[in-house]
Amino acid sequence: MKRKINLLPFAIITAFVFLLNWYVLSGIQTLTLSSWLSPVFWGFIIFITVALAYSIQRMRDNGMDIFFKITTHTFLVLLASELVFIIVLFLGDGYRLITGGARNVYWVEFGLLLFGITVLIFLYGIIKGKYAYRVIKHTLYFEDLPENFDGFRITQISDVHAGSFKNARAVQKGIDLIKAQNSDLFVFTGDLVNNKAEEILPWMGHFSQVKAPYGQFSILGNHDYGDYVKWENDSVKQANLQDLKRHHGEMGYRLLLDEHVELEKDGQKIILAGVENWGIGFGERGDLKKALQGVDPQSFKVLLSHDPTHWDAEVKKWPSKIHLTLSGHTHGMQFGMEAFGIKWSPVKYRYAHWAGIASENGRYLNINRGFGFLGFSGRVGIWPEITVIELKKAR
C-alpha cells in the first residue's frame, strides 16, 4: 500500500514563497518597468524552488552532496535577504498609506542596499564565519564542590560534524585554541560525524592532539548512530557505529556509554558520567540510572548528555543532585545575533534554552554552540565555540 503524501505543508510553503516574491518584484518594479524583468525574475524563483525540492528528495540516497549544498544555500541566502528587503519595503508602504502619494523609490533603494549587505554577511559566514572559533568562559560556584577541586577547569567542545570540514588549516586553528586553554579536563559532547564513521578519518590527527591531565572523555550524539542515511542492511549500520566507537579510542578519548568514572585529586573525588543520546524527537537511548549505578548520591557529579532536552525532562529532577550537565546539539542554529544585549536565534522557537548557562535549584546546564557545522555550511552571528568552565568552591 502506497503511503499517502500530505500536500498541505507543501502547498502552504509554495503559497508563502509566491506571495513573498510577488511583493519583492513589486518593489523592484518601482525602479524599472522593463519587459524582461518579470519573466526572468519568476523563471529564477521557479528554478531554485524546484531544484531545492529535488535536492531534498534525493538527500537520503545521496546525502548532503554539492548539489544539495548549492541549492539549499542559494535558497537560504535569497530568502533571508528578501525578508530584509520586505521589512524595509513594508515600512515604506506603511508610511505611504499614512501620507498618501506613490511609493517612494528611496525606500526601495535602501531596501536593496540592505539586501546586498545581507548577501555579503551570509557569504562571510559561509567562507570565514564557520571557522571563526570563540573561547567562551564561565565560572560556576558550588557549596558542595570538594575543596581540592576548587579552580578545576573543564574545556568542552561539541558537534564537530567532521564530514562538513574542508579547510584543514582553519580546523587546526580551532585545535590550537583548545590546547591553549590548558584545562584540567577535556570533554566532547557528541556528533563527531554527520552520518558515517569514515568522515572523521582525515581529521583524527587534529583531534588526537588534544590532551588534558585528567583525560579526554566523549559521548555520542544523534548523528553518530547513522540514522539519517540508508544502509545496505542493519549489520552494515551497526558496523559503522562500532568503527566510530573505535575511532574515539584511537584519538585518545574515553567514550562514556551510560557509565561513569571517578576523577581523583589529592584524595578527593568527583564523578564524570556520560550517557548515550537522549533527546526528545531524536531517540531516547541514554540510561541515566545505569550511568550513575553505584555512585554515592552525595557525590559531586558532572554529566555529559548531548541533547539539552534531557536536562529539562529528566536530569534536573533526578533524585540525587547532578551538579553540572554539559550538552550541545542545537548549534544555536548557526544563525542569530548575540550582541548589544541581544541574544536571539530562530532555534529559540524549538528550544527555550539553546546556548550558554542555565540553572535551576543549584543544578547547572551548559549548551555549547558547536565546533563544526551542518546543513548550512556557515555561521552568521552564532560562532563556533570552545567552552571553558571553571569550578569554584562557594565560600
Side-chain angles (χ1 to χ4, degrees), residues 137-391:
K137 298 183 178 182
H138 304 285
T139 302
L140 303 179
Y141 292 85
F142 302 90
E143 292 181 355
D144 49 354
L145 178 70
E147 190 76 35
N148 292 340
F149 282 87
D150 185 32
F152 191 81
R153 299 171 82 241
I154 303 170
T155 288
Q156 176 200 5
I157 66 169
S158 193
D159 299 87
V160 163
H161 290 288
S164 300
F165 289 146
K166 301 296 181 186
N167 189 331
R169 186 174 180 181
V171 173
Q172 184 60 50
K173 287 183 178 180
I175 297 298
D176 290 342
L177 263 180
I178 295 170
K179 292 160 60 178
Q181 305 314 306
N182 294 315
S183 290
D184 299 290
L185 177 70
F186 172 79
V187 298
F188 167 66
T189 48
D191 277 1
L192 187 62
V193 296
N194 296 343
N195 297 294
K196 297 183 178 181
E198 65 192 40
E199 295 167 12
I200 189 59
L201 294 178
W203 309 100
M204 289 179 64
H206 292 75
F207 290 94
S208 62
Q209 297 173 34
V210 179
K211 305 294 180 185
Y214 286 81
Q216 305 81 237
F217 295 87
S218 58
I219 56 172
L220 298 175
N222 55 299
H223 278 267
D224 294 322
Y225 296 93
D227 289 340
Y228 307 121
V229 290
K230 283 185 177 180
W231 298 93
E232 184 179 341
N233 54 55
D234 192 58
S235 295
V236 175
K237 180 181 178 182
Q238 291 306 313
N240 176 76
L241 180 58
Q242 293 308 312
D243 287 344
L244 185 64
K245 290 177 180 179
R246 187 177 70 252
H247 295 333
H248 278 256
E250 291 167 347
M251 292 190 301
Y253 296 5
R254 165 73 186 275
L255 183 62
L256 297 175
L257 301 167
D258 295 337
E259 57 189 316
H260 70 270
V261 294
E262 293 181 344
L263 303 179
E264 183 176 343
K265 186 176 183 182
D266 300 328
Q268 294 183 331
K269 299 176 182 178
I270 64 173
I271 300 297
L272 177 67
V275 292
E276 296 204 45
N277 188 67
W278 194 111
I280 296 174
F282 292 92
E284 298 172 9
R285 291 178 168 94
D287 188 337
L288 185 55
K289 184 177 181 180
K290 179 182 176 184
L292 296 177
Q293 188 173 3
V295 172
D296 183 344
Q298 301 304 313
S299 296
F300 187 93
K301 307 175 198 68
V302 177
L303 173 67
L304 310 182
S305 182
H306 176 70
D307 192 314
T309 60
H310 189 204
W311 187 76
D312 276 315
E314 186 175 47
V315 176
K316 70 181 183 182
K317 299 177 285 191
W318 198 252
S320 66
K321 184 177 181 180
I322 298 172
H323 299 72
L324 173 61
T325 301
L326 302 177
S327 298
H329 181 64
T330 71
H331 299 208
M333 208 171 173
Q334 298 167 212
F335 170 75
M337 182 175 182
E338 293 186 275
F340 311 111
I342 299 170
K343 182 178 180 179
W344 178 87
S345 166
V347 79
K348 69 173 290 184
Y349 304 113
R350 171 66 173 85
Y351 300 95
H353 182 66
W354 49 271
I357 297 289
S359 65
E360 189 170 319
N361 298 324
R363 305 178 185 215
Y364 289 87
L365 167 71
N366 181 65
I367 303 175
N368 180 283
R369 293 162 179 82
F371 188 87
F373 47 91
L374 181 70
F376 171 48
S377 185
R379 284 179 176 264
V380 176
I382 307 294
W383 312 114
E385 175 180 351
I386 298 160
T387 311
V388 178
I389 296 177
E390 185 175 8
L391 308 179

Side-chain angles (χ1 to χ4, degrees), residues 42-54:
W42 284 116
F44 175 74
I45 296 301
I46 292 170
F47 171 78
I48 195 62
T49 303
V50 171
L52 175 68
Y54 176 66

